[in-house]
Amino acid sequence: GKFLGTSGARECEDCSKGTYANSPGQTSCRPASAGHFVGKSGATTQKKCDAGAYSSGAGNDACEPCEPGKFSSKTATADCSLAARGHFVAGEGATATAA
């Protein structure tokens, strides 16, 4: 959860939200992968977005709920899927569609 980015520093710094360091001796922090997030400073791991939520790109500090008309039935997704023809999603954060 910490890194040392400059020579001669006295102490390591915490990784910021959206990043993590999972081993000692890091010179920088890793950004959270798409479909994942790091919600606190000083983290040693990233967490998967829950079903019904997503995070696109890298370095996210939170996941966003799927918007109406979209859903995500799996964890760790980078985007939500559109409801198929004949199906709908009325609210946010859906994990399935309705006929």
Side-chain angles (χ1 to χ4, degrees):
K2 295 181 180 283
F3 74 103
L4 187 60
T6 58
S7 297
R10 292 179 165 246
E11 60 185 50
C12 295
E13 297 177 50
D14 283 344
C15 294
S16 61
K17 288 183 179 182
T19 67
Y20 68 102
N22 58 356
S23 60
Q26 298 296 303
T27 57
S28 64
C29 299
R30 296 177 176 191
S33 306
H36 297 77
F37 73 101
V38 178
K40 64 178 185 170
S41 299
T44 58
T45 60
Q46 60 181 348
K47 294 183 180 183
K48 294 179 181 179
C49 293
D50 292 334
Y54 73 100
S55 67
S56 59
N60 294 293
D61 62 7
C63 298
E64 299 293 326
C66 295
E67 59 195 52
K70 294 184 175 184
F71 73 103
S72 173
S73 59
K74 298 179 182 179
T75 61
T77 58
D79 198 7
C80 299
S81 301
L82 289 171
R85 288 184 177 187
H87 293 80
F88 70 97
V89 177
E92 344 183 286
T95 58
T97 62

